[in-house]
Amino acid sequence: MNRLKLIEQIKLKNTFLCVGLDPDVDKIPKHFLDEEDPIFEFNKEIIDATAEYCIAFKPNTAFYEAYGLSGIGSLEKTIKYIKINYPDHFLIADAKRGDIGNTSTMYAKAFFKRLETDAITVAPYMGSDSVKPFLAFENKWAIVLGLTSNEGSCDFQQLKINDEELYLNVIRKCASWGTEDNMMFVVGATKAQMMDDIRKIIPNHFLLVPGVGAQGGSLEEVCKHGMNKNVGLIVNVSRNIIFASNGKDFASKAAEEAKRIANQMKTFLN
Ligand code: OMP
């Protein structure tokens, strides 16, 4: 999906919510455990219940890889289901890849050609030759880790180099390898105030913002510090939506929570 279409979807639906598909067999309603593919069946109902309130879905591959081959099968089926039934939704593979050039190329092929996701999250620690292969595919996106939402982000990302934090150096350098049409940055909602400095470097890029909900980030703060003239934000919520209930009403509760967040988003648009 290209940038214009993404912006169009956000404006059309008045939401910039991404639903994170991070299933956990220990947390999904028990009745799914009798199904042949509990993860896929669970995802399908979550997707159907929340699609009207979001513009993106983000399966995190860890939650599929943990179940071996059957988990990879659930991921493939989930992605296919979204592509067939919700082709206008932006599809992000949260895999945090990045390696020497020829290996990154294979990662890019795995996600862009085989799974056909629109975007993949990329860890930039290995530098330009590890990131650039993800930029070589038309209408596909590398979403580079800029400033992450977790506590440990201060261990390296916030160290100062030449009087400037490492994450600002990383964002500036990575932005020079790509464009606003093929690169986004991950910035955690828990770090919303730091978006002011980030926006000075990349005023127009999209930010993928996880950390609202279970991690305590505030949507209001994210919008205040991170929004730009084209919205420029995709805000992900995983656990607070998909595990809003673990009873039979899980899908309607997920829809309720997605709707609540989407309604809050509306107030920040226009
Ligand atoms: P919840 O905290 O349950 O909403 O999930 C957050 C999702 O975003 C998980 O899939 C995380 O792996 C992911 N994430 C972060 O939480 N923090 C980051 O800094 C980056 C990501 C990510 O790349 O999406």
Side-chain angles (χ1 to χ4, degrees), residues 22 58 60 94 96 121 148-149 186 210 215 236-239:
D22 299 355
K58 180 175 78 69
N60 183 314
D94 186 2
K96 300 184 179 69
T121 52
T148 58
S149 63
V186 172
Q215 297 179 51
N236 179 84
V237 177
S238 304
R239 283 167 291 180

Side-chain angles (χ1 to χ4, degrees), residues 81-170:
Y81 185 78
I82 296 168
K83 289 195 75 68
I84 291 172
N85 295 285
Y86 302 100
D88 293 332
H89 280 63
F90 191 67
L91 193 40
I92 302 166
D94 186 2
K96 300 184 179 69
R97 298 297 152 97
D99 205 321
I100 59 169
N102 64 320
T103 309
S104 274
T105 296
M106 292 310 265
Y107 278 140
K109 279 188 186 164
F111 288 96
F112 294 154
K113 292 280 186 200
R114 161 94 204 183
L115 286 173
E116 294 186 78
T117 58
D118 295 298
I120 178 177
T121 52
V122 171
Y125 194 72
M126 288 178 72
S128 59
D129 55 329
S130 74
V131 173
K132 284 179 180 168
F134 294 102
L135 304 171
F137 296 76
E138 200 178 351
N139 293 333
K140 301 286 182 183
W141 299 77
I143 310 184
V144 177
L145 298 182
L147 178 61
T148 58
S149 63
N150 58 321
E151 265 181 52
S153 77
C154 61
D155 289 339
F156 303 124
Q157 296 165 31
Q158 294 176 54
L159 292 180
K160 286 218 169 156
I161 300 183
N162 300 332
D163 266 353
E164 189 180 61
E165 283 87 354
L166 177 62
Y167 71 89
L168 293 172
N169 283 266
V170 166

